[in-house]
Amino acid sequence: SATAPTMAPAVRAAAAEARHRLLAAAADRLGCRADELHLSAGEIAAGDGRRCSVAEVLAGIGPEGVRGRGATLGQPDGVTVR
């Protein structure tokens, strides 16, 4: 299938952007920099032991949540999908 090679980069980019936004919101909540945080098993932790859950961060963001965007580059020249 040509779907995975076409869509995977877009999905990966959207996920990376959403993760960045989530960690930025958590950094505001914890009073640190986003690059100091680690995300694992639904929990976000700073190196000094401060932590919060992903659910807590999302609850503070509101109904719009965290979104990321990705874009496909389309089919390479000379490739058709049937």
Side-chain angles (χ1 to χ4, degrees):
S1 168
T3 302
T6 301
M7 295 301 297
V11 172
R12 195 174 307 119
E17 182 180 342
R19 183 179 193 278
H20 172 78
R21 290 177 184 223
L22 176 68
L23 291 178
D28 287 345
R29 180 180 178 92
L30 295 173
C32 64
R33 294 189 335 255
D35 64 357
E36 297 173 21
L37 299 175
H38 301 279
L39 173 62
S40 178
E43 188 168 81
I44 301 168
D48 65 4
R50 289 176 290 165
R51 58 188 63 239
C52 60
S53 71
V54 169
E56 290 170 330
V57 175
L58 292 175
I61 290 173
E64 68 274 6
V66 174
R67 295 181 184 167
R69 286 195 242 173
T72 63
L73 300 175
Q75 295 295 330
D77 290 338
V79 175
T80 57
V81 178
R82 298 176 193 208

